[in-house]
Amino acid sequence: MELRQLRYFVTVVEEANFTRAAARLHLTQPGLSAQIRQLEKEVGQPLLDRSGRSITPTATGAAVLPHARAALQAAQQISHTVDEFTGLLRGHVRIGLISGAALGEVDIAAVLTTFHRDHPQVGISLTEDTSERMLAAVVRGDLDIALIASTGAEPDPGLGMDIVFDTRINAAVAADDREFGSRTTLSDLRDRPLICLSRGTGIRGVLERACAAAGFEPRVEFEAAAPPLLVRLAAGGLGVAVVPDLTPEHAAAEGVRMVEIEPELRGRLALTWRADRPAAPAAKVLLGQLRIALAPRAAIRTPS
């Protein structure tokens, strides 16, 4: 029995599907199936029930599962302890960022550059995705650290979270639009064509939760991956963009005018990680550097 076979078994149980588990483990499905069969042969009992649409553990598999997880965690902790004891910082850190974060209010690239210079033996993987998917990846352990946009939902109790940027979310309309004054209510936007980030992003989550509380669904007609494109669409008169607040000078340069939304909506960037289990030394060091580097951004910015 090998640790990797236990990891394969745990992953199949978590995904309830051989195809998804194989993709997560970067294996072929036949290769993964063969490893699970070898593990079952060694323990002398079937561990997985393959008869249904979803893969589920057998009674034996359910009994083995907590021990398999404990063995994997113990092996990981041994590796971490040896690394820390010998002072060798190596390994691999997996980071997730919302689109545009490295070029926006928080300079992740500068922190990663410094970390790589100081610790060249540590590999770094960088992924851009929606906040929703990255948060799930952190919970699963597929990402070590993620910079997400908070939707305002209650965070997982097993996660650590630092708010590193906080700004008001407002409406951007074309500069020559005379239908809006300097303020509007969320209810006034009920029947307006809205321009917003795609589902799974923080701002979209904040908007949908606020609209649901007001008793309606937002009429989102245009979606884009980053706020700058939303602003350009609003400047063209295609609708009302729901975006982080812009200064009057920035808004004028983009051909839009900012309109405050009431009740107030907030957009927050959060650095998040698993706080309920030991982190690898490399991830622990990088997380500490990110928390220090991004801490000044925690000051709340409000519209001028």
Side-chain angles (χ1 to χ4, degrees):
M1 185 183 307
E2 299 179 8
L3 281 172
R4 62 187 177 91
Q5 292 174 326
L6 295 179
R7 181 161 62 91
Y8 297 163
F9 166 61
V10 170
T11 304
V12 172
V13 172
E14 290 177 348
E15 295 294 340
N17 180 280
F18 271 98
T19 300
R20 290 195 298 270
R24 180 173 157 190
L25 293 164
H26 306 291
L27 298 172
T28 64
Q29 184 174 333
L32 176 59
S33 297
Q35 289 293 328
I36 295 297
R37 285 196 298 271
Q38 178 62 32
L39 177 61
E40 291 176 322
K41 181 178 179 181
E42 291 184 18
V43 300
Q45 293 286 336
L47 301 175
L48 298 172
D49 183 352
R50 301 163 174 82
S51 62
R53 295 184 62 182
S54 296
I55 304 298
T56 58
T58 62
T60 301
V64 167
L65 184 60
H67 299 292
R69 284 179 167 145
L72 292 172
Q73 187 172 354
Q76 185 181 49
Q77 188 58 41
I78 289 171
S79 177
H80 295 171
T81 300
V82 170
D83 282 348
E84 291 178 330
F85 182 77
T86 59
L88 296 177
L89 191 60
R90 51 188 170 80
H92 197 96
V93 186
R94 302 155 300 173
I95 305 172
L97 300 177
I98 57 172
S99 180
L103 302 175
E105 298 290 349
V106 290
D107 192 356
I108 294 290
V111 181
L112 297 184
T113 299
T114 300
F115 180 82
H116 176 66
R117 185 182 63 242
D118 294 340
H119 308 288
Q121 296 184 68
V122 177
I124 301 173
S125 294
L126 191 60
T127 302
E128 281 193 335
D129 207 337
T130 66
S131 296
E132 187 176 82
R133 286 196 289 264
M134 289 192 300
L135 199 57
V138 172
V139 171
R140 289 196 308 268
D142 292 341
L143 286 176
D144 299 301
I145 306 166
L147 181 66
I148 65 166
S150 173
T151 65
E154 191 68 24
D156 187 295
L159 296 179
M161 190 171 288
D162 281 355
I163 301 298
V164 300
F165 185 71
D166 187 335
T167 187
R168 185 164 182 160
I169 297 172
N170 282 329
V173 300
D176 58 358
D177 187 304
R178 293 293 174 261
E179 293 188 52
F180 289 94
S182 61
R183 292 180 174 81
T184 189
T185 66
L186 194 63
S187 297
D188 287 338
L189 301 178
R190 178 193 297 261
D191 299 318
R192 300 278 184 172
L194 300 182
I195 305 169
C196 194
L197 296 176
S198 57
R199 289 185 183 276
T201 58
I203 288 179
R204 182 64 172 268
V206 169
L207 175 65
E208 290 180 341
R209 289 170 66 85
C211 290
F216 68 95
E217 293 185 7
R219 179 185 157 194
V220 177
E221 295 197 357
F222 295 91
E223 296 181 345
L229 179 54
L230 304 180
V231 173
R232 288 196 289 273
L233 293 173
L238 294 177
V240 178
V242 180
V243 293
D245 191 59
L246 302 177
T247 64
E249 295 78 15
H250 189 178
E254 296 291 341
V256 297
R257 182 169 56 84
M258 298 308 297
V259 178
E260 290 188 2
I261 298 175
E262 297 177 345
E264 180 181 279
L265 306 179
R266 305 298 303 186
R268 296 180 174 93
L269 296 185
L271 194 66
T272 185
W273 65 93
R274 287 298 296 259
D276 60 348
R277 63 178 61 169
K284 186 186 301 183
V285 171
L286 180 54
L287 175 61
Q289 292 186 3
L290 285 168
R291 296 182 73 182
I292 293 171
L294 302 184
R297 299 289 185 177
I300 296 176
R301 179 167 65 84
T302 55
S304 57

